[in-house]
Amino acid sequence: MSTPGAVLSRPPASGGGTGLLPQLLLALVCGGYATGAALGWGSPRLAVVMGDFGLAAAALAGAVSCFCYGRSRTSCVRPAWLLFSLSSAMAGFGNAIWGWYEVVLREPVPSPSGADFCFLLFAPPAIVGLLVLAKRPASRAGWICLALDAWLIGGSLLTISWSLALAHTAHQEGESVARAALSLAYPLLDIVLVSMVLALHFRRSSANRSAINTAIAALALTVLCDALFTSPLLREHYRSGQLLDAGWFAGSILLAYAPWVARQPDADACARSRREPHPSRPTAGSLAALTPYLAAAVCTLGILYNVIDGSRIDRVVIFTACTVVLALVVRQGIMLLDNMSLTQELAQKENHFRSLVQGSSDVIMIAAPTGVLRYVSPAAAGVYGIDPGELIGSEFASLIHPEDLGGVVHEVRRFLAAQPEDEPTTRIECRFRAGAGRAGHDGWLNVESTVNRHHGGLIFNSRDVTERVRLQAQLRHSAEHDPLTDLPNRALFTERVRRALSGRRATDPGTAVLFIDLDGFKAVNDTVGHQAGDELLVHAARRLQESVRAGDTAARLGGDEFAALILGDGTQDTAAREYRILEVAERLRTGLSRPYRVSGTEVRVAASIGVAFADPGINPTELMRNADLAMYRAKAAGKGRVELYAPQMQAEVVRRAEVATRLRNALHDGEFALLHQPVVELGSGRITAVAAQARWRSEQGILFTPDEFLRVSDRVRGDRARGEDGARAADIGRWLLEEAVEQAAQRHRAGYPAPVAVRLSPHRLTERGLGPGSVEALLTRHGLPSGALLLELADTDPRVSLDELERRLTALRRLGVRIALDGFGSGCAAISALRRLPVDVLKLDRELVEGVVESARLHKITSGLLRIAGDLGLQTVADGVDLPEQVAALRAMGCSHGQGMAFSGPLDEHRLRRALDRGDYPVPGPADCLEAGREAVLTTSALPVKVGVQGREALPKRIAVSDGREGPDSLVHPPLRSNSETSVPPT
């Protein structure tokens, strides 16, 4: 068979049926009775009993079976089975009465008797039951034809019966009228019953067809036995228990078995029967149409037989034959009118459906079971660009794209294997060969077809969906690609990474993911414009796409972040695969770092690249996270470089997350304490201000600086999402400002008017959380007088506009807030801030102070900065003054104030007030400076330490609690790295 034939061939339907056991039992019972009747049952007495009461029991069994079935069902055939139950009950009662006379009373059965009455009532319920089972005619002509068909059959049988036997019975002398009528009633009712059986045989309902066939067979067997019994030859020699009784017995047993032979539930069968189209005309098939004519032919043959035989033709025969001929003529006229009406209606429907098919924009094709197209509607010329005549006779499979043929074959086979009532239609979508006028760029059209069954073949109702498919592909492409660069976006890149990890190369260590960030891209946006930035991204995407292989994937994740998936080549050598991928990454970095020409301007950006390998067992999320971590490590290490992921990077992220969590908990639980470090006038030692500093109190009660926490939070804020961790750092700054202002106000009310200096970053000073109104509200709420607050700008921030910062600081200065520029001398940005911002105090960076004595270069730089501050009329404060010689050197260069361990470390509120009560610190003299050259002073810890002096080791000494004085127990100590960091990291 050809491919289309294989597609459209229907698989054999699995037939169902009742079990063999009931049929075997039925055959055994009927065969046993027939055997007993043939052998005479062994004795005349037993033969009479079985011939009378045996038949009665079988008939009553049929009545009970039909009655129980009819009562337990609510289907459309329930009345028929109840009528069959009544008919069988009449036969049972008749046989029981017959047995009463013959067996019990042992006397001949009178004629007529009650048994005759019951036997006569057997036929009418059976006839009505057959009418219930038959399909009802749809019109009056149908009812007339049904009656005529029944009369044609009945009249023919009456003609034959009358000619052969009934005439002799009717004219028999010596019989009463009642006995003659009774003798004629049996055969006449049997003739009516046979007529109805034959007339309704081809009109029976499809509901419970097997049960109805069994019931009809049972009634037909009973009628046949009645006809044989009516024969004078058999009736004269009939005795109860003979072989003729076996026919009646089998008919009753068949009727008892009939209702339970149904293969499907009555409700489903009735529903199917209602769904089947009823014939709108009296004709229902060739056999049903020929039955009346065959009956008329039998009648004619009977009359011819009598004429040829020379017998006298009875008037009853002549009258019956005339009525049969008249009924045949009337029926033929109805058939003629019916055919004329059918022809006219068929022509109208054909024209109607031809108009629908030809006017439809869908293509309708009918395929034979072999897969050959038998009909194609005219719409094919417009839809496919092919003349329908060219398609007729061709194989349907030859028109389908080879890549889609397998799926179409599978779906059609599955559809044909399903039950029609469960799945009446199905839908297939494939590419269809098109003509030159309609073909796309590839010669195929996307077609959607609805498939229906049609006489073993299929009907395809097809429509062109090429534009819809293209639109869907466009939408899918837009959803999976970046609109600016047309590279795959994050979703598609993640999906391709997942495929690479779950496919054949799942364990290939050569597969790697590269995360790429363009360093300096924001500056391009800010200086040249966002349109130029978009052009730069397009150029960068093109360079990235050209630098990877055809099987690799380059993607834009968002903003100036790109990614690349480099598939491995199966290399198991770790060094070789790392060298290959790093070579690719370096090539990408070099290509992306070349100058770009955008908007007529040449710009440069660098590329930071992080590389992560697909180790066995890793999932896409972890792999992309690793590459992201490596990329941020490359940015933190100086940008414009390639970093390979290492497990410690993830450990560092975890550590920073833990630190951020501890910071959040410490702030929430009130574990931060506020300390103040005195700012001393270097000439007199007088305390002129205090600098607020935050400390974290550990579980052991030790105070540590929160600088590490702040650095972690600031790094997260600058490099990552700048979310919750950055907000925690802002909360610490807000807490520090609020606590410092509140305690300063309390000291002012207690008679300690020293101003307080609070260190804040420009970003936090101008952000919304610490924005306009925050400092003003604190000053108003706590009543801090003018000049009592000094804000130290921690550093410069490129994210903060100098114009905005200038406006903010000017507003604060009008309220009496003094402004200090902290970290002066650490970069060019400080000079720019000094030029633009309203500053009152310059605070020298501690890196200048630490080397001012040893380095002649730093000495000159510091001296120059101090001269600049003096020329501008600004007060100067040196940060990190830890040694006496630093005090002398700074004082000699013109620095007016300093803070550091040479005077005092950070103090709590009690010690601060004691220092303020004292009012000043001793200024180191020349002798102190000489001694400090050998040993350094430490005044912040209460722990014994060891210090080295010119290569020698000193003895452990106790450190005095810093209250601003050196008592007799004061010892010399090693210098500190910083006055705001501890050498013991928080744990």
Side-chain angles (χ1 to χ4, degrees):
M1 183 180 294
S2 62
T3 301
V7 172
L8 300 180
S9 61
R10 182 188 301 272
S14 58
T18 56
L20 292 178
L21 182 60
Q23 298 176 4
L24 290 176
L25 291 176
L26 181 67
L28 288 175
V29 171
C30 294
Y33 191 94
T35 302
L39 298 178
W41 297 103
S43 67
R45 180 71 176 172
L46 181 59
V48 173
V49 172
M50 293 302 297
D52 293 336
F53 291 109
L55 291 180
L60 291 177
V64 171
S65 174
C66 293
F67 180 78
C68 293
Y69 184 83
R71 286 294 302 272
S72 63
R73 298 295 188 274
T74 58
S75 63
C76 58
V77 297
R78 175 184 178 184
W81 295 109
L82 295 177
L83 289 170
F84 290 155
S85 173
L86 177 60
S87 175
S88 186
M90 290 297 101
F93 291 149
N95 284 304
I97 295 174
W98 196 286
W100 175 264
Y101 283 106
E102 287 190 340
V103 176
V104 178
L105 300 181
R106 297 187 178 183
E107 60 183 36
V109 181
S111 180
S113 66
D116 295 321
F117 176 77
C118 292
F119 289 146
L120 289 176
L121 290 181
F122 167 78
I127 293 171
V128 178
L130 290 174
L131 287 173
V132 173
L133 291 178
K135 290 182 180 179
R136 297 183 179 181
S139 62
R140 262 187 299 181
W143 286 104
I144 295 174
C145 284
L146 177 62
L148 291 175
D149 291 345
W151 172 244
L152 286 172
I153 298 172
S156 300
L157 294 177
L158 178 62
T159 301
I160 297 297
S161 301
W162 191 272
S163 299
L164 297 178
L166 295 183
H168 175 76
T169 302
H171 297 94
Q172 189 174 0
E173 296 180 0
E175 288 189 359
S176 62
V177 176
R179 185 175 180 82
L182 182 63
S183 300
L184 292 175
Y186 281 110
L188 291 177
L189 286 175
D190 287 340
I191 289 173
V192 174
L193 185 58
V194 169
S195 302
M196 294 307 301
V197 167
L198 293 176
L200 297 177
H201 174 70
F202 300 104
R203 298 174 179 271
R204 62 188 182 275
S205 173
S206 61
N208 292 330
R209 185 177 294 270
S210 56
I212 295 172
N213 288 339
T214 306
I216 291 177
L219 294 175
L221 183 60
T222 303
V223 170
L224 177 62
C225 293
D226 287 345
L228 294 175
F229 176 75
T230 312
S231 173
L233 181 62
L234 292 178
R235 189 167 185 177
E236 290 177 0
H237 301 86
Y238 171 77
R239 296 290 182 273
S240 295
Q242 292 182 351
L243 192 60
L244 187 62
D245 292 343
W248 281 315
F249 182 85
S252 299
I253 295 299
L254 277 178
L255 190 62
Y257 172 71
W260 310 101
V261 78
R263 296 183 181 181
Q264 56 185 346
D266 287 337
D268 296 343
C270 290
R272 288 189 60 187
S273 177
R274 285 192 294 269
R275 289 197 300 267
E276 291 179 356
H278 290 277
S280 59
R281 303 300 171 188
T283 56
S286 58
L287 292 178
L290 290 177
T291 301
Y293 300 101
L294 293 175
V298 170
C299 178
T300 303
L301 290 175
I303 296 175
L304 290 176
Y305 172 77
N306 288 333
V307 172
I308 295 173
D309 191 45
S311 302
R312 177 178 174 273
I313 301 177
D314 196 278
R315 286 176 296 178
V316 175
V317 174
I318 297 297
F319 177 78
T320 304
C322 291
T323 55
V324 168
V325 173
L326 181 62
L328 184 62
V329 172
V330 173
R331 189 183 187 283
Q332 188 66 27
I334 294 176
M335 288 285 295
L336 181 61
L337 294 176
D338 183 64
N339 288 337
M340 294 174 59
S341 177
L342 275 176
T343 303
Q344 184 178 5
E345 183 179 350
L346 182 61
Q348 292 177 354
K349 288 183 176 180
E350 184 178 356
N351 292 332
H352 175 69
F353 284 105
R354 182 182 293 109
S355 300
L356 289 178
V357 171
Q358 293 180 352
S360 174
S361 60
D362 292 352
V363 180
I364 299 175
M365 298 180 293
I366 300 178
T370 58
V372 178
L373 293 177
R374 296 302 184 193
Y375 174 79
V376 179
S377 67
V383 175
Y384 299 147
I386 304 176
D387 186 79
E390 298 179 12
L391 294 177
I392 295 176
S394 62
E395 292 186 351
F396 181 72
S398 64
L399 305 175
I400 301 175
H401 195 283
E403 295 179 0
D404 300 338
L405 183 58
V408 173
V409 170
H410 174 76
E411 175 60 23
V412 171
R413 285 179 175 173
R414 186 201 60 79
F415 171 65
L416 292 177
Q419 293 296 328
E421 59 272 12
D422 297 334
E423 191 173 4
T425 63
T426 188
R427 188 183 66 86
I428 61 175
E429 188 169 333
C430 62
R431 283 169 289 179
F432 199 88
R433 180 169 57 84
R438 286 285 299 154
H441 66 280
D442 54 357
W444 300 90
L445 293 175
N446 293 93
V447 175
E448 181 185 65
S449 302
T450 302
V451 186
N452 296 272
R453 297 173 178 85
H454 175 70
H455 298 300
L458 295 173
I459 298 178
F460 296 89
N461 191 356
S462 307
R463 62 205 62 87
D464 181 13
V465 293
T466 303
E467 292 302 321
R468 188 195 72 187
V469 171
R470 289 177 181 172
L471 179 59
Q472 289 176 345
Q474 239 176 5
L475 294 176
R476 184 166 55 250
H477 182 86
S478 299
E480 295 178 344
H481 289 76
D482 176 58
L484 178 63
T485 63
D486 203 39
L487 290 180
N489 58 14
R490 182 182 293 271
L492 181 57
F493 183 77
T494 304
E495 174 62 20
R496 292 189 179 178
V497 171
R498 184 191 63 78
R499 276 191 231 155
L501 296 183
S502 60
R504 294 181 300 114
R505 298 178 178 271
T507 58
D508 181 11
T511 298
V513 168
L514 281 63
F515 266 44
I516 307 162
D517 185 84
L518 300 181
D519 303 320
F521 174 74
K522 185 178 183 302
V524 175
N525 271 341
D526 294 341
T527 56
V528 188
H530 288 277
Q531 184 175 357
D534 291 344
E535 291 181 26
L536 189 149
L537 291 176
V538 172
H539 291 314
R542 187 178 300 116
R543 294 182 186 181
L544 180 62
Q545 186 70 40
E546 293 172 352
S547 300
V548 298
R549 298 172 303 180
D552 299 332
T553 300
R556 182 189 177 205
L557 304 183
D560 60 343
E561 289 189 357
F562 295 85
L565 172 64
I566 310 297
L567 298 179
D569 56 1
T571 302
Q572 298 296 326
D573 187 1
T574 303
R577 69 183 176 92
E578 289 186 2
Y579 177 79
R580 183 179 69 88
I581 295 299
L582 291 177
E583 185 181 20
V584 173
E586 187 62 30
R587 185 172 66 249
L588 291 177
R589 188 195 66 79
T590 304
L592 294 174
S593 301
R594 293 200 312 266
Y596 296 86
R597 190 75 180 178
V598 293
S599 299
T601 305
E602 185 177 281
V603 297
R604 287 179 177 270
V605 294
S608 296
I609 302 178
V611 181
F613 285 99
D615 296 326
I618 196 170
N619 59 47
T621 303
E622 295 174 346
L623 180 59
M624 295 175 65
R625 180 205 62 196
N626 294 345
D628 195 24
L629 291 175
M631 185 264 290
Y632 278 104
R633 172 59 65 89
K635 292 179 69 68
K639 302 181 179 179
R641 55 184 295 159
V642 178
E643 280 287 341
L644 187 62
Y645 171 78
Q648 55 266 29
M649 294 183 185
Q650 177 63 21
E652 182 180 351
V653 171
V654 174
R655 184 188 64 82
R656 284 193 292 192
E658 293 175 352
V659 168
T661 302
R662 293 177 61 189
L663 169 66
R664 180 173 56 252
N665 295 336
L667 185 62
H668 180 268
D669 298 338
E671 297 179 1
F672 279 92
L674 183 63
L675 303 181
H676 294 84
Q677 188 173 29
V679 178
V680 179
E681 187 177 12
L682 297 181
S684 62
R686 184 173 57 89
I687 300 175
T688 59
V690 291
Q693 297 178 6
R695 292 292 186 271
W696 173 65
R697 188 184 305 276
S698 69
E699 296 178 354
Q700 294 79 16
I702 304 175
L703 292 177
F704 297 106
T705 64
D707 286 358
E708 181 179 5
F709 300 98
L710 295 176
R711 282 199 303 272
V712 170
S713 299
D714 287 340
R715 188 180 304 118
V716 172
R717 184 179 183 87
D719 290 345
R720 292 294 184 177
R722 297 172 183 161
E724 184 180 356
D725 291 332
R728 296 284 82 83
D731 290 342
I732 293 177
R734 187 182 301 110
W735 174 86
L736 176 63
L737 179 62
E738 292 178 357
E739 289 291 320
V741 171
E742 182 179 2
Q743 292 190 20
Q746 293 175 358
R747 286 194 299 272
H748 270 268
R749 287 191 291 270
Y752 301 100
V756 62
V758 181
R759 190 170 183 263
L760 290 177
S761 68
H763 178 76
R764 294 198 180 101
L765 185 63
T766 56
E767 68 180 357
R768 182 166 299 182
L770 291 173
S774 299
V775 178
E776 292 86 342
L778 289 173
L779 296 176
T780 303
R781 184 190 313 154
H782 299 290
L784 193 64
S786 176
L789 177 61
L790 175 66
L791 293 181
E792 299 177 351
L793 297 182
D795 50 15
T796 57
D797 194 338
R799 294 173 295 173
V800 179
S801 170
L802 285 179
D803 295 334
E804 181 183 358
L805 185 60
E806 182 182 5
R807 287 192 297 270
R808 178 72 181 128
L809 296 179
T810 302
L812 290 175
R813 288 190 70 191
R814 282 196 288 266
L815 296 176
V817 178
R818 301 177 66 202
I819 308 300
L821 187 59
D822 193 11
F824 187 71
S826 60
C828 298
I831 300 296
S832 177
L834 179 63
R835 181 176 60 86
R836 295 282 305 276
L837 302 179
V839 177
D840 301 297
V841 178
L842 285 183
K843 197 168 185 179
L844 295 180
D845 187 72
R846 67 174 51 255
E847 292 183 358
L848 296 177
V849 177
E850 288 177 354
V852 72
V853 177
E854 294 85 357
S855 174
R857 182 182 294 271
L858 282 181
H859 188 281
K860 292 180 180 180
I861 293 174
T862 306
S863 177
L865 293 177
L866 290 173
R867 281 197 302 271
I868 293 174
D871 294 341
L872 294 176
L874 302 178
Q875 184 180 351
T876 55
V877 178
D879 188 13
V881 183
D882 300 331
L883 301 175
E885 63 269 22
Q886 293 174 348
V887 177
L890 291 170
R891 185 172 53 195
M893 285 186 285
C895 182
S896 59
H897 295 78
Q899 69 180 71
M901 305 308 297
F903 304 103
S904 173
L907 305 174
D908 59 19
E909 186 66 19
H910 175 69
R911 290 185 175 86
L912 176 61
R913 293 200 179 194
R914 287 175 55 189
L916 293 175
D917 286 334
R918 187 172 59 249
D920 57 10
Y921 285 99
V923 178
D928 297 326
C929 294
L930 181 61
E931 179 66 20
R934 297 189 300 268
E935 298 178 355
V937 179
L938 174 65
T939 57
T940 56
S941 175
L943 298 176
V945 297
K946 293 183 180 181
V947 297
V949 180
Q950 298 177 356
R952 295 172 297 157
E953 188 176 80
L955 295 176
K957 303 178 182 180
R958 180 173 300 277
I959 302 173
V961 176
S962 176
D963 59 356
R965 299 181 181 179
E966 293 183 359
D969 294 331
S970 298
L971 302 176
V972 291
H973 309 284
L976 287 183
R977 293 181 297 108
S978 168
N979 69 327
S980 61
E981 294 185 7
T982 177
S983 59
V984 182
T987 57

